[in-house]
Amino acid sequence: MRAVVQRVSHASVTVDGEVVGAIDGPGLLALVGVTHEDTEETARRLAGKLWTVRMLEDERSCSDIGAPLLVVSQFTLYGDARKGRRPTWQAAAPGPVAEPLVDAVVKALRDLGAHVETGVFGAQMSVALTNEGPFTVLLEV
């Protein structure tokens, strides 16, 4: 699994003109991609990393201060454009495999005590955010 994680002061996801998930205050936006070899254990490890990674002000984590997370599925994180001009998506897991694993990340975060908002898997989403820092990290587990 791969996640692009951004420290935010606000982030939201809109689908068909309706906000479906939003966080305010210091928190993290995690764009999550799934590949073919990922499992529920991989999802739990990513959730643990997201909950404890020290990306917030004063090197604190979401678990330290109870900061919220917005988790958005993004298969394009496994796009490969090294050859030609058109990315391939071969490394991205198909929806029936990826959706339950993104859900598993969210469930594991909530089991750890996190407040988690989400997008809508497979939907055309508009993601708005205020990246603080800017501070963006790529996590892979």
Side-chain angles (χ1 to χ4, degrees), residues 1 38-46 100-101 104-105 107-108:
M1 288 188 122
D38 291 330
T39 64
E40 286 198 22
E41 174 56 29
T42 312
R44 283 190 292 276
R45 286 191 356 250
L46 180 60
L101 291 175
V105 171
K107 181 184 182 315

Side-chain angles (χ1 to χ4, degrees), residues 54-130:
R54 297 184 173 278
M55 288 181 57
L56 300 176
E57 190 173 340
D58 298 326
E59 294 187 4
R60 293 180 294 174
S61 67
C62 288
S63 67
D64 291 334
I65 63 172
L69 297 100
L70 176 58
V71 175
V72 178
S73 63
Q74 188 169 349
F75 79 94
T76 61
L77 293 181
Y78 279 100
D80 184 353
R82 289 179 287 183
K83 293 182 181 180
R85 295 176 293 161
R86 184 181 310 171
T88 66
W89 314 111
Q90 294 172 349
V97 173
E99 185 174 11
L101 291 175
V102 173
D103 290 345
V105 171
V106 171
K107 181 184 182 315
L109 280 164
R110 289 179 175 151
D111 288 348
L112 290 168
H115 172 82
V116 182
E117 296 282 323
T118 65
V120 176
F121 190 91
Q124 178 66 40
M125 296 178 272
S126 294
V127 180
L129 66 131
T130 303

